[in-house]
Every structure is written in C-alpha cells, then in structure tokens.
C-alpha cells in the first residue's frame, strides 16, 4: 500500500475519493481475482461488454506497444479505448475513452459510483481502478480496446476479460517484481503467459530462451495461433518482415532507441492479424512518424532546456536492469561528450542490478536523489553501492537541487553535457511537469 500513498490528484473532489479508495486496500495482498470478480458482478459484468481486446503483458515495452497500436488505429480513423498503468503526471492518463483521455468529471462520477457499489469491501487500488475503467468503457462505443496488465498476468486484475474476443501480445520478459511473480525467468514468464486463453492470437516479441520455452508451452496448451519473433517475424535494418506480407520500412519511426522497432513491430503485426484493423504498408510508414510517447527516451525542449544552452536533457522510464541495458546500448551509440545520470529508484527495485548496468555505461557523474515523489531506495544505499563499483556518485536532495547544481557548477559551463534523468516513471513525470511549467 506504500506506493499508493503517493497518488494524488489536482482536482480536490477526485483526490478525496481516491483517498477513500486507498483505505480499502488490504494490508497484505494475496494474488487472486476473487475481489475484482465480486465487484464486476455488482457492476453487471462490464468486462463482457467491451470491444475486441488487445491484451498486453511483459516486463518492458508494454506501454510502447500499447501507445503505438492505439495511435496507429486512431490515425487510421478508429475509435479506441485504452487502459494503462502507471501514469506519468495525472491519473486520467490511465483511461482513454474513445480516443480521449478521461475528463475529471467522468472520472469523479465513475469512481464515486463504483465506490458506492463496492460498499466498503476490501479491494486493492488497482483492482478498483480496473473495475471502474471497464465499467466506463462498457458505456461508450469503440472499435478496439487496448489493455495493459498492471503486474504479471495470471492474477492481474485485467485477466478477467472476455477470452473469445482477445489478441495477446507478450513483450520482452525479464526479472522484475520477483516478490510477486517468481524468483527466476521461467516462473515470471509462466505468470505473464497467464493472459493466454483458448484459441487466442499470440504475438510474442524477442525473448530470452528460457522465457520463450515457457511461452511456447502455454501457447500449445491454449491452442493459440502464435507468431514468434525470430521465427515468424523479425526486424532487420529498420525493416519489419513477416512471412505473408511485403516488408515495411520503419525508418520514419518517431520513437528513440532501437528497442522501439520491436515494440512497433508487435503493434504492426497486431493490426495485420486483425483484418478489420489492417493498415496498408505505405500508410504504416507514414503513420509511425506521428507516434508520440512521453517519457520514453524523450528529449526535453521546455523550461529546463531553456536554462541550459550547453545541455541536452533526456528522460526515460527505465526502472529495472533490462531497461537499463537498453539505455546502455542507446548511450553507446549516442557517444555523449560528458554524461551525467540523475537517478531515483523504487524501494523494491533491483538497484544493484541497475547499478551494474550504469557501471557499463560509465557516466562522468551519477546523482542519486534523497527526496522523491515515490517510495524510493535511500540515496545513501545507492551511493554506497555505486562507490563499491567505482562509479563517481553524488547525493542531492531532489531534482530541483540537481538542476541548481548544474546551474552553479563552473565545470559544466564549457562542456557539452548530456543529462539523463531516469530510474522511475514517477520521477520522469515530475521532471516533465517542471519542464512543461
């Protein structure tokens, strides 16, 4: 529950109802779908009244796949519902109703209604929000529903969807949330494969061999019509290849980083396998140039950048070793002259694994933040571990103090500095808010 205490809303009415909902959260979480099924039944089972669904699970890339698919279909003239988590700046981002982020009024009315229907029964915050989102979506028309899991797959609150109207995407799986999903890759892959149901279509991104074996077994058990990266489709030299269609150029992709080619590839293949949502190859090349995804290797261009003419500021939501391995590859390719990393990591994250990847990146300075807007790993622990790895490290109070540090230190004046702010979605959201205001 400690994470949810940081959830706030600028709208006082919404903030008030959120605090009430958070109080319903159980002290200990047992992984089960019973609580949400009881609430959904009281709401007349809205999960069975939704449009055809693309259900997305995995460790990294879920949000990028969901965003790519949503924006491709929106640009193609379709109405799309989207449910995602977590959010960068405001809770409203998690619920997109027929191509529009939910309004404060609709969000408040819906949360209030579901709160009354729930009648003070114990339920997790994510289960409550998922039931509310499904209730909202059931009352508005759309052609497609794009749904990210929150955690894992098998016991995730979203895993109550109509099994006959579903395509599943499994993005790259790595070690994360081990306290809930399992201690090794095979156990985690089994949990995430739990979204697969009888005769679903499965699109599987690039996977570790051990994870792939587990996914294939789940695919066979559920008689899925499956398409595996490296076997049925692949990316090469910025082209998407699939056995039954002409190659598609991805050179116009607006998203930064080579890993995004795989993510958009999953979205393209999903469009191709759903005839109603297929997009012509030439049009895909045009549309992928218009995809926007905040906080994922995003270059800041607002107020922060304006203060520092010789700085490039980048933000990225990497929060596990797999994500930092991707960052490492991007930085090696970018070859910055002087690199500073500003880091804030969640209390339950594998900070030692993250620091091992940062060691390979070899920044000129690592800044660890003491005060964040989430439950963070203490900066002194990160600093201690960083020094063991011989990473030059400095502890500062918060992101604003880090910016003052850049402003006041003479050593930065004559250098071209690349500053990467990363480690947490909440931290990135805070930075984007500062940059926008």
């Amino acid at each position: 529950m400690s994470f949810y205490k940081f959830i706030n809303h600028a709208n006082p009415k919404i903030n008030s109802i959120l605090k009430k909902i958070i109080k319903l959260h159980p002290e200990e979480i047992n992984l089960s779908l019973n609580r949400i099924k009881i609430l959904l039944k009281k709401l007349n089972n809205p999960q069975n009244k939704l449009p055809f669904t693309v259900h997305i699970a995995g460790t990294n890339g879920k949000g990028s796949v969901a965003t790519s698919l949503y924006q491709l279909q929106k640009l193609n003239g379709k109405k799309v519902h989207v449910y995602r988590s977590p959010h960068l700046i405001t809770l409203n981002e998690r619920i997109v109703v027929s191509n529009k982020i939910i309004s404060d009024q609709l969000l408040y009315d819906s949360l209030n209604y579901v709160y009354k229907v729930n009648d003070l029964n114990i339920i997790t915050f994510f289960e409550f929000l998922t039931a509310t989102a499904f209730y909202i979506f059931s009352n508005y028309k759309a052609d497609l529903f794009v749904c990210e899991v929150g955690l894992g797959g098998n016991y995730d609150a979203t895993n109550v969807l109509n099994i006959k109207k579903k395509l599943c995407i499994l993005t790259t799986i790595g070690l994360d949330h081990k306290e809930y999903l399992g201690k090794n890759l095979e156990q985690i892959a089994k949990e995430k494969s739990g979204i697969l149901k009888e005769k679903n279509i499965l699109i599987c991104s690039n996977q570790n061999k051990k994870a792939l074996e587990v996914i294939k077994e789940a695919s066979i058990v559920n008689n899925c019509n499956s398409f595996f990266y490296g076997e049925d489709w692949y990316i090469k030299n910025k082209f998407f290849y699939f056995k039954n269609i002409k190659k598609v150029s991805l050179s116009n992709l607006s998203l930064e980083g080579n890993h995004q080619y795989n993510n958009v590839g999953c979205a393209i293949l999903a469009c191709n396998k759903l005839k109603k949502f297929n997009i012509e190859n030439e049009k895909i090349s045009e549309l992928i140039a218009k995809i926007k995804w905040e906080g994922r290797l995003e270059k800041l261009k607002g107020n922060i950048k304006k203060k520092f003419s010789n700085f490039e500021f980048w933000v990225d939501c990497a929060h596990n070793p797999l994500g930092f391995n991707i960052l490492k590859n991007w930085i090696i390719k970018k070859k910055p002259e002087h690199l500073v990393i500003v880091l804030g990591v969640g209390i339950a994250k594998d900070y030692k694994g993250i620091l091992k990847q940062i060691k390979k990146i070899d920044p000129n300075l690592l800044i660890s933040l003491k005060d964040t807007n989430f439950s963070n790993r203490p900066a002194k622990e990160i600093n201690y571990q960083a020094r063991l790895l011989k990473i030059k490290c400095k502890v500062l109070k918060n992101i604003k103090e880090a910016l003052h540090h850049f402003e006041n230190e003479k050593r930065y004046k004559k250098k071209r500095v690349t500053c990467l702010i990363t480690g947490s979605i909440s931290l990135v959201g805070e930075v984007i808010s500062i940059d926008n205001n």
Side-chain angles (χ1 to χ4, degrees), residues 322-334:
L322 182 61
F324 274 81
N325 183 56
I326 290 168
L327 279 182
K328 178 198 71 179
N329 295 333
W330 176 76
I331 288 167
I332 287 171
K333 186 177 179 182
K334 186 174 174 56

Side-chain angles (χ1 to χ4, degrees), residues 340-343 364-370 379-380 382-384 386-387 391-397 401-402 405-406 409 411-412:
V340 178
I341 296 177
V342 178
L343 184 68
N364 297 88
L365 179 64
L366 173 66
I367 294 175
S368 181
L369 302 178
K370 284 195 287 188
K380 62 181 181 181
I382 292 175
N383 187 57
Y384 175 77
R387 291 187 183 282
I391 301 169
K392 188 176 180 183
C393 186
K394 185 179 186 70
V395 174
L396 294 175
K397 185 179 180 182
E401 187 169 288
H405 167 76
F406 298 140
E409 285 282 332
R411 58 179 154 153
Y412 298 118

Side-chain angles (χ1 to χ4, degrees), residues 128-362:
F128 187 100
L129 191 63
T130 301
T132 303
F134 290 177
Y135 167 73
I136 294 165
F137 295 143
S138 70
N139 290 311
Y140 291 85
K141 288 186 178 181
D143 302 297
L144 184 68
F145 175 35
V146 177
C147 182
E148 279 186 58
V149 305
L151 179 69
N154 195 30
Y155 293 108
D156 185 77
T158 64
N159 204 24
V160 293
L161 293 162
N162 189 326
I163 63 175
K164 295 180 180 179
K165 294 165 56 180
K166 206 169 77 159
L167 177 150
C168 296
I169 297 176
L170 288 175
T171 65
T172 304
I173 292 172
L175 296 172
D176 202 6
H177 300 292
K178 290 190 285 186
E179 68 274 26
Y180 295 114
L181 305 180
K183 294 181 179 180
N184 58 53
L185 210 53
E186 293 94 331
Q187 290 174 337
I188 293 173
K190 185 176 181 180
E191 279 298 311
K192 292 182 183 291
S193 299
I195 67 168
L196 301 181
K197 299 297 184 286
E198 184 71 17
K199 295 183 179 180
N200 285 166
I201 298 170
L202 166 64
I203 294 169
C204 185
S205 190
N206 191 25
Q207 301 290 352
N208 175 283
K209 186 178 179 181
K210 291 180 179 179
L212 184 60
E213 288 174 359
V214 174
I215 295 167
K216 284 188 172 182
E217 183 180 347
S219 170
I220 292 167
V221 167
N222 289 287
N223 297 307
C224 294
N225 183 16
S226 301
F227 303 91
F228 294 99
Y229 182 88
E231 298 176 21
D232 304 293
W233 68 281
Y234 62 96
I235 308 292
K236 186 177 180 180
N237 297 327
K238 298 184 181 181
F239 279 93
F240 168 84
Y241 293 87
F242 178 60
K243 54 188 176 183
N244 294 332
I245 63 173
K246 185 180 176 183
K247 67 180 181 181
V248 180
S249 173
L250 305 180
S251 58
N252 287 340
L253 183 61
S254 58
L255 304 177
E256 188 81 19
N258 287 339
H259 61 293
Q260 295 292 9
Y261 294 111
N262 278 15
N263 292 330
V264 80
C266 287
I268 292 169
L269 189 52
C271 295
N272 177 263
K273 300 318 297 179
L274 302 174
K275 290 183 180 179
K276 183 181 175 182
F277 303 99
N278 194 24
I279 304 172
E280 294 178 1
N281 290 2
E282 294 74 16
K283 194 173 183 182
I284 287 173
S285 295
E286 172 192 332
L287 296 183
I288 60 174
K290 300 176 182 178
I291 296 172
K292 295 178 181 178
W293 187 212
E294 272 196 316
R296 278 69 180 179
L297 277 177
E298 180 185 2
K299 188 176 181 179
L300 300 184
K301 298 176 181 177
N303 291 326
I304 293 176
K305 169 59 185 171
K306 289 173 185 175
K307 288 184 178 180
F308 303 93
S309 59
N310 61 319
F311 272 68
E312 267 191 12
F313 284 93
W314 293 81
V315 290
D316 189 76
C317 291
H319 54 274
N320 53 41
L322 182 61
F324 274 81
N325 183 56
I326 290 168
L327 279 182
K328 178 198 71 179
N329 295 333
W330 176 76
I331 288 167
I332 287 171
K333 186 177 179 182
K334 186 174 174 56
K335 297 178 181 178
E337 180 184 318
H338 190 92
L339 175 65
V340 178
I341 296 177
V342 178
L343 184 68
V345 179
I347 188 67
K349 297 300 179 181
D350 180 9
Y351 76 104
K352 291 182 179 179
I354 287 171
L355 286 171
K356 286 177 182 177
Q357 292 297 330
I358 290 176
K359 172 66 176 175
K360 296 174 185 176
I361 293 171
D362 192 26

Side-chain angles (χ1 to χ4, degrees), residues 3-4 6-11 14-15 17-19 21-22 82-96 101-104 107-108 111 125-126 128-130 132-133:
F3 168 78
Y4 295 112
F6 290 97
I7 289 184
N8 293 292
H9 202 284
N11 185 312
I14 295 175
N15 201 52
I17 189 70
L18 288 177
K19 299 308 176 189
I21 295 165
I22 290 168
V82 186
Y83 183 56
R84 59 159 53 111
S85 64
H87 57 273
L88 271 176
I89 299 170
T90 175
L91 189 77
N92 302 53
E93 298 165 26
R94 298 188 184 210
I95 302 173
V96 176
I101 292 177
I102 191 168
S103 68
D104 277 7
L107 179 60
Y108 172 74
L111 290 172
F125 180 83
F126 185 73
F128 187 100
L129 191 63
T130 301
T132 303

Side-chain angles (χ1 to χ4, degrees), residues 68-83:
S68 297
L69 180 57
Y70 159 50
Q71 294 192 19
L72 283 171
Q73 288 303 325
K74 180 182 177 181
L75 292 165
N76 196 39
K78 301 295 185 182
K79 294 282 187 182
V80 187
H81 294 327
V82 186
Y83 183 56

